[in-house]
Amino acid sequence: MASNMFITPATVVVAITGRVKQLREVYVASSSAGTYKVCLPTLLLSKRVERIPWFDGTASSNYSCGGDRSALVKVSEGGAIPFPSGWSLDKGSENQIEENPVPKIKGSNRFFTIGLVAAWYSSNIGVLLLNKYLLSNYGFKYPIFLTMCHMTACSLFSYVAIAWLKVVPLQSIRSRVQFFKISALSLIFCVSVVFGNVSLRYLPVSFNQAIGATTPFYTAVFAYLMTFKREAWLTYLTLVPVVTGVVIASGGEPSFHLFGFMICVAATGARALKSVLQGILLSSEGEKLNSMNLLLYMAPMAVVFLLPASLIMEENVIGTTMALARDDVKIIWYLLFNSSLAYFVNIANFLVTKHTSALTLQVLGNAKGAVAVVVSILIFRNPVSVTGMMGYALTVCGVVLYSEAKKQSK
């Protein structure tokens, strides 16, 4: 096929191929580079379709293509579709039609992006501080039940967001094996969240966040042990200040509690283990789920795990909660708001990544811990030492260096 050859819509009718993602759009295979998206010609016989610049699904563009390497097309009056040389056009169906693409937020609309980032910070720090208040200051001593409330809210809101509001397309579980893989991830997820909440009963938020910042260290360890994946030596070197900072912070922490420290370390390790396992268990194209769909399936599984655990391990939790509600109805509103906020953390993570990038979310995450520490100290007035703050600062610097080293190695 000659370069810049024009193929008329009538020709493309028998040349379209593959799965259709959006109304009047199909994938057309290209032997030279990735895939292109072209308009379904049977609906646009009087139109002309022109390619516009490349993008890889993560760069800024006018429309979202779900992360596939694609090029967009735009429609104007005319009668032909230009294709570059080397295209392999296969016959496909004319009846594969879904919805129109949703325009991405353009760079000029900065207020929307700023609002998303502010919502992300507020929800992440808000749920952390409210967990601390309920479990430590208010006296609600049931972290498993609290986590179950979070997962119940995530189950309900996820279903509404995906099944009714169509925030993202529903991805189905395709096999029993995939179901058991997601169940395993849900169990580890439960352990990490419950242990994290338990640690808040014994540790100030500032120290909790310092320990949580060591997640990259445990991720690197589990990745090496389970997949034999080795990072560049510089990446491992950046983990030294991450661990050293926590050691220093532990020595200088006025409110140090050994059990709280151990359970927080376990929560951090479980969080890292879930991340590595997710990459292993859901690695095939047919089993990958976006974060919203994964939460849709993991959250109800988590409720199934947590409900019996709470009833067995937290004596008379239902009766005590009802008694608290009779004495102070605010506990019901605290639980409802906290649980809703826990879901909002997940939707905010998804939207910030969608409208910015995964790297932006990582940078925001590095800064979030520091902001949470400052806010928690101002609210709870927990004592801090210069040594402890220096240790935490060293850990945060190590995490930033680790992120940069990972980016360079890629």
Side-chain angles (χ1 to χ4, degrees):
M1 192 176 296
S3 177
N4 298 323
M5 179 176 180
F6 282 76
I7 300 178
T8 64
T11 305
V12 180
V13 168
V14 297
I16 60 176
T17 184
R19 53 198 173 87
V20 180
K21 262 189 129 175
Q22 297 154 340
L23 182 63
R24 297 191 293 269
E25 290 191 350
V26 298
Y27 283 93
V28 177
S30 167
S31 60
S32 58
T35 57
Y36 285 89
K37 293 173 89 172
V38 299
C39 292
L40 190 62
T42 53
L43 301 180
L44 299 163
L45 291 177
S46 64
K47 305 291 185 182
R48 181 167 61 88
V49 183
E50 298 175 338
R51 283 194 304 111
I52 58 177
W54 284 98
F55 78 104
D56 62 6
T58 58
S60 176
S61 58
N62 291 328
Y63 297 98
S64 171
C65 290
D68 294 323
R69 180 167 176 76
S70 308
L72 289 174
V73 292
K74 60 182 179 181
V75 181
S76 59
E77 296 295 333
I81 301 175
F83 291 96
S85 60
W87 279 54
S88 171
L89 300 174
D90 302 317
K91 186 172 180 179
S93 169
E94 296 178 17
N95 300 317
Q96 302 165 309
I97 301 174
E98 293 181 21
E99 288 197 29
N100 275 316
V102 179
K104 263 195 172 183
I105 300 302
K106 295 183 179 180
S108 59
N109 196 352
R110 293 203 175 119
F111 288 113
F112 182 84
T113 305
I114 292 171
L116 276 181
V117 171
W120 183 86
Y121 266 107
S122 301
S123 59
N124 273 271
I125 296 175
V127 76
L128 176 67
L129 297 180
L130 193 50
N131 284 347
K132 173 64 178 176
Y133 173 75
L134 286 172
L135 294 169
S136 183
N137 296 65
Y138 188 86
F140 187 78
K141 304 182 189 299
Y142 303 110
I144 301 177
F145 182 79
L146 179 63
T147 307
M148 191 198 70
C149 292
H150 291 180
M151 293 300 104
T152 302
C154 287
S155 302
L156 296 174
F157 288 133
S158 293
Y159 181 79
V160 171
I162 296 176
W164 291 359
L165 302 180
K166 310 291 185 184
V167 173
V168 294
L170 176 64
Q171 295 173 286
S172 301
I173 295 179
R174 300 187 178 186
S175 66
R176 186 176 298 178
V177 173
Q178 187 184 16
F179 174 82
F180 285 119
K181 288 178 178 180
I182 296 173
S183 299
L185 290 175
S186 180
L187 181 60
I188 297 171
F189 179 61
C190 287
V191 171
S192 68
V193 176
V194 169
F195 280 19
N197 286 338
V198 170
S199 71
L200 287 172
R201 287 186 59 189
Y202 303 97
L203 300 177
V205 172
S206 54
F207 192 40
N208 175 280
Q209 290 295 288
I211 299 170
T214 61
T215 301
F217 169 77
Y218 294 101
T219 302
V221 170
F222 283 126
Y224 178 76
L225 293 176
M226 301 174 71
T227 67
F228 302 106
K229 179 184 177 182
R230 293 188 178 184
E231 303 286 354
W233 67 268
L234 185 60
T235 303
Y236 287 122
L237 189 63
T238 60
L239 293 173
V240 174
V242 172
V243 178
T244 304
V246 170
V247 173
I248 294 173
S250 301
E253 175 55 51
S255 306
F256 182 83
H257 190 284
L258 181 59
F259 175 75
F261 173 77
M262 293 173 64
I263 209 76
C264 192
V265 168
T268 306
R271 188 161 54 245
L273 178 61
K274 183 226 170 222
S275 176
V276 174
L277 272 181
Q278 184 173 326
I280 297 171
L281 297 180
L282 302 179
S283 58
S284 66
E285 286 299 322
E287 293 183 334
K288 283 183 179 178
L289 299 173
N290 62 46
S291 60
M292 296 298 294
N293 275 274
L294 186 59
L295 182 66
L296 173 68
Y297 295 117
M298 282 178 52
M301 293 177 184
V303 174
V304 172
F305 293 136
L306 292 168
L307 180 58
S310 177
L311 294 175
I312 294 170
M313 300 174 68
E314 297 176 326
E315 185 178 356
N316 195 28
V317 59
I318 303 296
T320 304
T321 303
M322 292 177 66
L324 280 173
R326 283 193 293 269
D327 294 337
D328 184 7
V329 73
K330 286 190 295 184
I331 184 63
I332 300 298
W333 295 109
Y334 284 147
L335 291 175
L336 288 174
F337 180 69
N338 192 17
S339 301
S340 301
L341 203 58
Y343 173 75
F344 196 73
V345 168
N346 290 279
I347 190 70
N349 281 347
F350 176 79
L351 291 174
V352 169
T353 304
K354 179 181 178 183
H355 292 291
T356 56
S357 68
L359 179 61
T360 300
L361 189 67
Q362 189 177 50
V363 172
L364 292 173
N366 292 339
K368 180 207 73 175
V371 176
V373 166
V374 173
V375 174
S376 69
I377 292 172
L378 293 175
I379 292 176
F380 297 113
R381 306 288 182 179
N382 56 280
V384 293
S385 66
V386 175
T387 304
M389 294 309 294
M390 287 177 60
Y392 178 66
L394 182 60
T395 295
V396 172
C397 290
V399 172
V400 173
L401 291 173
Y402 172 82
S403 301
E404 286 298 315
K406 287 281 287 184
K407 187 169 66 174
Q408 293 296 327
S409 65
K410 292 179 181 178

